[in-house]
């Protein structure tokens, strides 16, 4: 590690290495200087070294080196000059941002540059090959090579700076500025992943701040300046998250703001609360939570009405209309109906948490929390006077949907109001923090509510309704949409209805004993009858036996009740008193701890200040001595130079001469030289004065003569030009008079011609206007005819398409049935053929058995006769056996016959007529029909190895 006697030497060494293109060695030298414990006293040179150090880190993209150096520099200058650290960090971020922008501009210029040899070619061959191999476009590749490394370095810069500045009361402003710049970086370049990480980093910093409360230089969130910085950072985070459409991060930012204010037990300014509720309303609208969205708009209305003195009446009407329409957009049924117990508990807990976010209770109490609902929302609208500020269209729509009973024409009356409401809205001029009011986005939800109300009211009047009638009653929705809405309503127990597509009708209600609607109606009817009975037959008051026996029971119960209430109030007061005492004790302990911490910090600051003053005085004395020594050496060298010029020799007494004596000699010499120089200047000035005076005396008469000559020439020129101008004016006037007399004769003709031209053009204009109107009417009529023809053609094509589709389906069904029938017949025929073949094989086995027995008999006889009779017997056997094969082969032409028998029959000549037996009688017709199917049997036998056996039998017969 290199060591330097002074900080200036390290800076000089780094500059020398940079000049010879050795930036790595320069960076290592500065890094070793910064991390060394020898130079821990801050000087202005340290700041210069840090500037050079961060420049090298940015050039070489060394983020870790920069972070280490800044951490070391923070420990050096934190107690001495914290502004120096701010300047270095600002310079560091500025350099990183400039290099990233430069890389981005270079990538764009590289993409737009025209660097081709052939102007008719789209791309170079090497570019095409590279794009095919890598699968990247030119812009993607240039961004990956040039832009991405610098953007990554810039992101690491922001992370490192935030890590260095975190949880330090002296660096709060710089921390907030860095966070804002990081947010703008994510917004400008659409870096959603980095934005999520940045939010998590800031969130962890705040969590560590609350976790480690005994940290040195810890920010105090109770201080207004610190709290304002943290709030500004969180609100900027909320705005950027909304612009990047990261709604989950935006909701987490809302929770961060609420948690921060709960920590300090304070409420932000109304201007910030307007932004808070505006962004919160956008988040709940994107998540389809209409109830919470409506509550946020109600909060916005209350804030604007209470604190915005410049709010115009038009803007107030728009905000109030938004509140009412958002409330009407909330579904009128409970969406948690039918859920499990666990789901209901989770939903309740989530609702309570969101309610605390909307109400912004910095000290939430479980007993005071209320679950938000649609009914409570409408009661708040009435109590806070929102309905008095809405427009007339919104008020009429509210009365139709919530107050009136119009089962037949509810949707028809609501449709024109929805059309008018969709056109309302715009930017609020007197409420800049409130987003643009767009009432048109509530129209789909209002149409759904109108459909639900109509179905609800119709179900109370009708039991059955035609689908077509219901579709005509709801003009702004198809029946498919109405069906989806009704399915949700039935699912959440808002309606009871069934759809019968066969009859094309809708059945409302379920008239059984368990029906809730029927039970309500019966209960209401019973109450009405009971009231009427009491009115007709009032009850007779009779003395109660129980009252006589227990006359003091009421007084005893009241006394006991009062005693219990008093005891309960005493217990509550004792609890409150105990909680108050605990709170006071905690506050006193916290105050003592803060006071002790403050005293410790003051003692430490005084000690550091005294040490700094001592070091500063020592440094100043050392610098004064060094400066005096340098001045003495300079004066000595200057005296030697002057003595050499003038040929004089400065008389010096060697080591005995002092700095004071040397300065006196130098000052004496300087005074003498200054006096000589003044004398020379005075002499030269006197000479120049005499010379200038002589020049002016000689030039005065010459200047006067030239002036007189020039004056006479200009007078003559002026008189000549004046006469010429008068003559030209007279000539022009005479010509103009002559032209006027000549043109005055044609004035009447001009007027007549003008009138004729105007009348002709007016007639032409009227004719063209009539032709244009007629042409427009013709075009309108032709377009109507075209639309009518197009509708008819579309209807015809659809009908024809449906008919063709039905024909194709019928044809496919017929083919499928025909195929199934054929498969069935084929299976039956195969079964019959298998049966016949089995019988045939059995017959053959019997014949073979008979043949074998005959052969055995013949062999037995041949053994009994002499050997000389053996050959004739064999020949006779052959003769006897041979006729059997043809007979059996020709027994039936349609039956299966082995190959060797068919071969023997063909080689033996004409076969005898077939014999009729029990196997062949009555089957000739079937054998003829099945003769075509014998081929598959031969093929199957040959496929399973039957061909070899046939050839063997044939060869034996031929042999």
């Amino acid at each position: 590690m290199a060591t330097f006697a002074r900080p200036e030497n390290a800076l000089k060494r780094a500059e020398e290495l940079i000049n010879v293109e050795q930036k790595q060695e320069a960076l290592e030298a500065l890094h070793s200087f910064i991390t060394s414990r020898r130079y821990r006293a801050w000087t202005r040179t340290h700041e210069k070294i840090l500037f050079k150090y961060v420049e090298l880190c940015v050039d070489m993209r060394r983020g870790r080196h920069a972070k280490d150096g800044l951490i070391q520099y923070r420990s050096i200058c934190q107690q001495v000059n914290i502004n120096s650290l701010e300047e270095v960090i600002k310079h560091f971020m500025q350099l990183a941002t400039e290099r990233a922008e430069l890389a981005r501009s270079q990538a764009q210029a590289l993409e737009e540059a025209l660097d081709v040899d052939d102007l008719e070619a789209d791309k170079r061959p090497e570019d095409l090959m590279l794009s095919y191999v890598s699968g990247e476009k030119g812009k993607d590749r240039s961004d990956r090579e040039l832009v991405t490394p610098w953007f990554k370095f810039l992101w690491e810069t922001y992370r490192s700076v935030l890590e260095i500045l975190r949880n330090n009361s002296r660096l709060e402003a710089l921390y907030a500025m860095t966070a804002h710049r990081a947010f703008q970086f994510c917004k400008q370049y659409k870096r959603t992943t980095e934005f999520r990480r940045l939010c998590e980093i800031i969130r962890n910093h705040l969590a560590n701040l609350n976790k480690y409360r005994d940290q040195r230089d810890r920010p105090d969130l109770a201080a207004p300046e610190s709290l304002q910085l943290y709030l500004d950072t969180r609100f900027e985070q909320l705005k950027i998250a909304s612009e990047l459409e990261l709604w989950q991060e935006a909701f987490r930012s809302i929770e961060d703001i609420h948690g921060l204010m709960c920590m300090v037990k304070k409420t932000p300014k109304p201007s910030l609360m307007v932004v808070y509720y505006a962004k919160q309303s956008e988040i709940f609208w994107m998540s389809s939570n209409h109830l919470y969205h409506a509550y946020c708009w109600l909060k916005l209305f209350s804030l604007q009405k209470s604190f915005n003195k410049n709010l115009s009446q038009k803007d107030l009407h728009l905000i109030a209309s938004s509140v009412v329409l958002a409330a009407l957009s909330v579904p009128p049924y409970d969406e948690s109906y039918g859920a499990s117990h666990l789901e209901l508990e989770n939903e309740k807990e989530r609702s309570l948490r969101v309610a605390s976010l909307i109400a912004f209770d910095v000290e939430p109490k479980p007993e005071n929390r209320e679950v938000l609902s649609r009914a409570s929302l409408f009661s708040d609208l009435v109590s806070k006077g929102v309905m008095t500020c809405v427009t007339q269209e919104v008020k009429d729509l509210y009365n139709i949907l919530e107050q009136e009973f119009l089962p037949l024409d509810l949707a028809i009356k609501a449709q024109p109001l929805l059309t008018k409401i969709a056109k309302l809205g715009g930017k609020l001029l007197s409420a800049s923090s409130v987003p643009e009011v767009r009432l048109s986005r509530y129209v789909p939800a209002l149409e759904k509510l109108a459909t639900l109300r109509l179905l609800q009211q119709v179900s109370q009047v009708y039991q059955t309704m035609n689908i077509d009638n219901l579709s005509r009653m709801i003009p702004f929705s198809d029946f498919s949409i109405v069906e989806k809405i009704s399915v949700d309503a039935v699912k959440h127990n808002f309606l009871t209805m069934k759809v019968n597509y066969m009859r094309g009708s809708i059945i409302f209600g379920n008239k059984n004993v368990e029906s809730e609607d029927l039970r309500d109606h019966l209960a209401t009817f019973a109450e009405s009858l009971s009231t009427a009975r009491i009115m007709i037959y009032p009850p007779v008051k009779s003395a109660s036996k129980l009252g006589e026996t227990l006359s003091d029971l009421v007084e005893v119960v009241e006394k006991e009740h009062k005693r219990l209430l008093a005891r309960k109030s005493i217990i509550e007061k004792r609890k409150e008193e105990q909680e108050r005492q605990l709170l006071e004790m905690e506050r006193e302990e916290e105050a003592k701890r803060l006071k002790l911490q403050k005293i410790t910090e003051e003692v430490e600051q005084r000690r550091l200040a005294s040490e700094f003053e001592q070091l500063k005085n020592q440094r100043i004395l050392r610098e004064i001595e060094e400066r005096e020594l340098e001045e003495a050496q300079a004066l000595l060298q200057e005296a030697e130079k002057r003595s050499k010029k003038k040929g004089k020799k400065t008389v010096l007494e060697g080591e005995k001469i002092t700095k004071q004596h040397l300065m006196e000699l130098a000052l004496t010499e300087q005074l003498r030289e200054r006096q000589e120089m003044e004398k020379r200047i005075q002499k030269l000035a006197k000479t120049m004065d005499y010379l200038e005076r002589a020049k002016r005396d000689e030039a005065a008469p010459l200047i006067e003569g030239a002036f007189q000559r020039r004056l006479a020439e200009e007078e003559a020129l002026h008189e000549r030009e004046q006469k010429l101008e008068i003559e030209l004016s007279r000539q022009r006037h005479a010509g103009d008079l002559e032209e006027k007399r000549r043109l005055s004769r044609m004035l009447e003709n001009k007027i007549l011609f003008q009138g004729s031209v105007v009348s002709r053009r007016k007639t032409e204009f009227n004719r063209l206007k009539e032709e244009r109107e007629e042409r427009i009417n013709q075009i309108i009529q032709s377009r109507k005819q075209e639309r009518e023809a197009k509708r008819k053609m579309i209807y015809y094509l659809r009908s024809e398409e449906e008919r063709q589709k039905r024909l194709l389906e019928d044809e496919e069904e017929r083919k499928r049935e025909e195929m199934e029938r054929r498969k069935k017949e084929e299976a039956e025929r195969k079964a019959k053929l298998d049966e016949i073949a089995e019988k045939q094989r059995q017959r053959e086995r019997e014949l073979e058995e008979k043949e074998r027995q005959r052969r055995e008999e013949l062999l037995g006889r041949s053994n009994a006769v002499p050997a000389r009779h053996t050959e004739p017997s064999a020949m006779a056997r052959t003769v006897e056996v041979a006729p059997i094969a043809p007979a059996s082969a020709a027994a039936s032409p349609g039956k299966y016959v082995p190959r060797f028998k068919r071969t023997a029959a063909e080689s033996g000549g004409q076969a005898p007529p077939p014999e009729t037996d029990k196997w062949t009688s009555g089957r000739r017709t079937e054998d003829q029909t099945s003769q075509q199917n014998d081929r598959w049997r031969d093929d199957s036998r040959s496929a399973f190895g039957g061909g070899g056996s046939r050839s063997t039998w044939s060869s034996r017969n031929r042999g």
Side-chain angles (χ1 to χ4, degrees), residues 163 254 411 424 429 448 502 570 770 808:
E163 190 69 23
I254 291 288
L424 300 177
L429 300 178
K448 180 180 178 180
M502 296 181 63
I570 292 170
E770 293 176 356
L808 288 175

Side-chain angles (χ1 to χ4, degrees), residues 748-764:
E748 296 179 357
N749 296 329
K750 176 253 183 185
I751 294 172
L752 294 175
F753 178 73
Q754 181 180 358
S756 63
V757 170
V758 169
S759 61
R760 184 173 66 254
R761 291 185 179 179
K762 186 174 182 181
T763 305
E764 184 68 19

Side-chain angles (χ1 to χ4, degrees), residues 609-779:
S610 63
E611 290 180 358
F612 173 71
E613 286 295 331
Q614 293 177 2
L615 292 174
K616 184 178 179 181
N617 294 331
Q618 293 175 5
R619 179 176 56 81
I620 291 172
L621 292 175
R622 188 171 60 251
E623 288 178 356
I624 290 172
E625 292 175 357
E626 291 175 355
R627 193 179 300 111
E628 288 178 353
L629 183 59
E630 289 176 357
E631 290 175 358
Q633 291 176 358
L635 290 173
L636 180 60
Q637 292 175 2
E638 188 177 356
E640 289 178 355
K641 290 179 181 179
R642 285 197 299 270
S643 63
K644 288 179 181 179
K645 285 182 179 180
K646 297 182 178 180
K648 297 180 181 179
K649 188 175 181 180
T650 306
V651 180
L652 299 175
E653 297 179 359
E655 296 179 353
K656 294 181 180 179
I657 189 169
T658 60
K659 175 196 170 187
Q660 188 68 23
H661 181 62
L662 189 60
M663 290 181 67
E664 290 177 359
L665 291 175
L667 289 174
T668 305
E669 186 66 23
Q670 287 180 1
L671 183 59
R672 186 181 58 79
E673 290 180 356
R674 189 181 297 113
Q675 291 175 356
E676 291 180 357
M677 182 61 70
E678 288 178 356
K679 289 179 181 179
R680 287 197 298 270
I681 289 173
Q682 289 178 0
K683 186 177 179 181
L684 181 60
K686 192 174 182 180
T687 304
M688 293 297 293
D689 188 15
Y690 283 124
L691 182 60
E692 185 65 27
R693 187 180 297 171
K695 285 181 180 179
R696 291 186 180 182
D697 290 341
E698 292 293 333
L702 298 176
I703 292 173
E704 183 66 26
F707 174 73
Q708 294 297 332
R709 288 195 301 272
R710 179 68 179 273
L711 187 61
E713 290 176 358
E714 288 182 354
E715 287 180 356
L717 180 62
H718 176 70
E719 291 178 357
R720 188 166 57 252
E721 288 180 353
Q722 187 73 16
K723 292 179 181 179
L724 182 60
E725 182 65 27
I726 292 171
E727 186 63 27
L728 290 175
S729 298
R730 288 176 178 173
Q731 292 178 2
R732 283 197 298 270
H733 182 66
D736 292 340
L737 291 175
E738 184 64 25
E739 185 70 17
K740 180 179 179 183
R741 284 195 300 271
R742 188 177 67 82
L743 294 175
S744 61
R745 295 176 298 173
M746 296 182 289
L747 180 60
E748 296 179 357
N749 296 329
K750 176 253 183 185
I751 294 172
L752 294 175
F753 178 73
Q754 181 180 358
S756 63
V757 170
V758 169
S759 61
R760 184 173 66 254
R761 291 185 179 179
K762 186 174 182 181
T763 305
E764 184 68 19
F765 172 76
N766 294 331
R767 183 182 61 79
L768 292 175
K769 184 177 179 181
E770 293 176 356
E771 291 179 356
R772 178 175 174 276
E773 292 177 353
E774 184 178 359
R775 187 166 58 254
I776 290 173
N777 293 330
Q778 292 177 359
I779 291 172

Side-chain angles (χ1 to χ4, degrees), residues 482-507:
V482 176
E483 186 178 9
K484 292 179 181 179
I485 296 172
S486 62
V487 167
D488 290 338
V490 172
K491 177 183 176 182
H492 296 101
N493 201 26
F494 184 72
L495 289 174
T496 304
M497 59 178 290
K498 297 180 182 179
V499 180
N500 192 338
Y501 288 100
M502 296 181 63
R503 297 181 179 179
S505 62
I506 300 174
I507 302 171

